[in-house]
Amino acid sequence: VDLLNKTFDKQVIKLIAHTPTQAVIKLMDGSSSIVIEKGESKKAILMVTIPSKQISENKIKINVNVEANYKIVNSIETHFIAPVRH
């Protein structure tokens, strides 16, 4: 994910799975949030996990809320590609 802070203040960003509600987003650097200084950009690598009992198809649409200061400032749509068993 590429993030850009176009504000005049440092922003602390959290990525929260909105749907499906069982999805969990983890940042690969182990942190719980992304800190972006004013006027800067940052890349973040994340991993989405969904409990196997909740996986009913190979491609699942994920809606992610981008939160800054506990307010939703944007949303992102992506897809979770589930492992395929043969």
Side-chain angles (χ1 to χ4, degrees):
V1 170
D2 291 319
L3 300 165
L4 174 63
N5 180 359
K6 297 192 282 185
T7 70
F8 296 108
D9 301 306
K10 176 174 73 173
Q11 297 292 315
V12 178
I13 305 295
K14 291 193 175 212
L15 302 173
I16 311 283
H18 178 65
T19 57
T21 56
Q22 303 86 359
V24 175
I25 297 174
K26 293 183 182 177
L27 297 171
M28 295 306 293
D29 67 359
S31 64
S32 62
S33 60
I34 304 159
V35 178
I36 309 172
E37 296 297 329
K38 65 179 181 177
E40 293 188 2
S41 64
K42 196 167 254 192
K43 279 187 185 243
I45 299 172
L46 52 100
M47 181 171 66
V48 177
T49 56
I50 297 176
S52 59
K53 291 181 180 182
Q54 302 298 323
I55 298 173
S56 60
E57 54 191 290
N58 291 345
K59 187 176 180 181
I60 301 169
K61 184 166 61 170
I62 306 280
N63 290 309
V64 179
N65 288 337
V66 180
E67 294 185 0
N69 300 324
Y70 304 102
K71 294 180 185 175
I72 297 171
V73 295
N74 199 358
S75 62
I76 302 167
E77 183 178 298
T78 189
H79 289 89
F80 174 86
I81 307 300
V84 179
R85 293 188 183 185
H86 296 281

